[in-house]
Amino acid sequence: MTILDGKKISNDIKDEIAAEVTKIKKRGEKVPHLAAIIVGKDGASMTYVNSKVKACERVGFESSLYRLPNTVSELELLDKIEELNQNDDIDGFIVQLPLPPQIDTQKVLNAVDPDKDVDGFHPTNFGKMALDMTSFIPATPFGILELLERYDIPTKGKHTVVIGRSYIVGRPMSILMGRSGFPGNSTVTLTHEFTKNITQVTSQADIIIIAVGIPDFLKGEMIKDDAVIIDVGITRVPDDNTEKGYVIKGDVDFENVSKRASYITPVPGGVGPMTVSMLLKNTLLARERHNKRSLDAQKR
């Protein structure tokens, strides 16, 4: 059994991006600039956004963080988004989820300029991804593809089972694993809360990608020998025996599943670190596209 070390691969990607930024600086060009809007003071969101700011510092990006109160109106948030859309200095930005109940999340995500949507959530980018066109791939699925590619895990002709159908992970993964190319060309089954006899489905899978937010959902008896397991879940489970008062659990019963799997991602240290790195990669791509458009406009 091989551990898919997301922490190591994530650091490799950051090193590669930092090398690209050094080249950009030598050419006298503007370095990529990633911005984030965070509403309220949700602990997990703050931790995640702060990790993005630190990652920007490490690779040499500029970064901006816009904090808005939990009481912000939908209109005020949309105004801030439009301000960032119009700011040519910012190459890409994200709106950290979840948002408070007074705000329509889909309306907010739709308001982000698709050319700056480095989270890959805008319908334009999602549609382009589904059609195999150049687009921003959502960071977590992008990270999973990168792990599969860098560990050279065969996907062609394999049966991939995706557990969970969120537009952030499950649905895009089901599309990406079935696309032409590598990683891809697999036969995909998308499962969810209403799937009957799920063990019957998972026990036939060569690759399982799970993102349901239920700790230890996938048990050892639910997989076949040598299956590849990608665990996207991350849940704080209370545990009085630890200093923090909780432990981080994935959606996979790691202890038992790992005995039968050929490859498996740990939690933490698997898919999580990859998400931040791929967000940086999307921002670098955004900078390159903006630069190309500027050069094309000058030639006209």
Side-chain angles (χ1 to χ4, degrees):
M1 185 272 296
T2 300
I3 295 284
L4 296 172
D5 190 345
K7 199 169 182 181
K8 179 196 175 299
I9 300 297
S10 169
N11 284 329
D12 290 347
I13 292 166
K14 285 174 187 167
D15 289 344
E16 291 162 14
I17 293 171
E20 282 300 316
V21 172
T22 300
K23 290 178 188 173
I24 289 169
K25 286 179 178 175
K26 281 182 179 174
R27 293 195 299 264
E29 296 171 7
K30 188 184 89 64
V31 300
H33 186 166
L34 174 66
I37 298 173
I38 185 166
V39 179
K41 294 183 178 178
D42 177 74
S45 291
M46 294 287 284
T47 301
Y48 189 44
V49 167
N50 287 336
S51 72
K52 290 169 184 172
V53 171
K54 285 179 186 172
C56 283
E57 287 173 8
R58 175 177 164 175
V59 300
F61 282 11
E62 287 184 45
S63 69
S64 300
L65 180 55
Y66 300 90
R67 301 174 190 268
L68 301 176
N70 204 51
T71 52
V72 71
S73 71
E74 184 175 278
L75 189 60
E76 287 170 316
L77 178 54
L78 290 171
D79 283 345
K80 176 55 73 175
I81 289 169
E82 186 54 27
E83 182 187 311
L84 300 192
N85 284 341
Q86 299 300 325
N87 186 341
D88 290 338
D89 190 53
I90 291 173
D91 297 294
F93 69 95
I94 63 155
V95 181
Q96 184 63 38
L97 304 179
L99 294 169
Q102 75 270 19
I103 292 169
D104 182 336
T105 298
Q106 197 56 56
K107 189 187 285 188
V108 164
L109 296 179
N110 289 357
V112 176
D113 180 346
D115 286 335
K116 295 189 176 189
D117 169 42
V118 287
D119 253 338
F121 293 161
H122 194 282
T124 296
N125 283 320
F126 198 97
K128 284 183 174 180
M129 177 198 70
L131 292 169
D132 248 350
M133 296 167 67
T134 301
S135 69
F136 294 118
I137 298 173
T140 300
F142 199 4
I144 293 168
L145 293 180
E146 199 76 15
L147 273 178
L148 293 171
E149 187 173 341
R150 294 197 182 218
Y151 277 90
D152 201 24
I153 295 171
T155 59
K156 185 179 180 180
K158 302 295 183 181
H159 182 198
T160 297
V161 170
V162 179
I163 308 176
R165 56 180 173 181
S166 75
Y167 65 85
I168 294 173
V169 181
R171 264 183 276 183
M173 269 329 305
S174 68
I175 294 166
L176 293 163
M177 290 302 289
R179 69 180 180 171
S180 179
F182 173 70
N185 281 323
S186 67
T187 300
V188 182
T189 302
L190 179 62
T191 66
H192 45 77
E193 60 187 310
F194 298 112
T195 301
K196 293 178 181 177
N197 304 320
I198 194 163
T199 298
Q200 195 177 329
V201 180
T202 57
S203 62
Q204 296 171 19
D206 300 302
I207 301 168
I208 297 174
I209 300 165
I210 179 168
V212 292
I214 303 171
D216 295 340
F217 178 87
L218 190 73
K219 308 291 185 188
E221 62 270 18
M222 294 173 72
I223 75 162
K224 71 176 185 179
D225 288 341
D226 294 329
V228 175
I229 309 297
I230 308 289
D231 187 353
V232 187
I234 184 158
T235 306
R236 289 184 180 186
V237 178
D239 187 337
D240 294 335
N241 296 321
T242 63
E243 192 179 323
K244 292 179 178 177
Y246 66 86
V247 290
I248 298 293
K249 286 268 193 180
D251 291 348
V252 174
D253 175 5
F254 186 89
E255 186 180 345
N256 293 304
V257 171
S258 61
K259 291 171 185 172
R260 302 186 67 182
S262 56
Y263 294 87
I264 189 168
T265 57
V267 176
V271 173
M274 295 297 296
T275 299
V276 175
S277 290
M278 302 322 283
L279 186 70
L280 297 178
K281 195 160 186 175
N282 273 343
T283 306
L284 180 61
L285 291 170
R287 176 74 219 123
E288 288 169 355
R289 287 180 203 166
H290 294 160
N291 200 39
K292 185 177 183 299
R293 270 200 296 273
S294 297
L295 290 171
D296 288 346
Q298 288 170 19
K299 289 174 185 174
R300 289 192 195 114

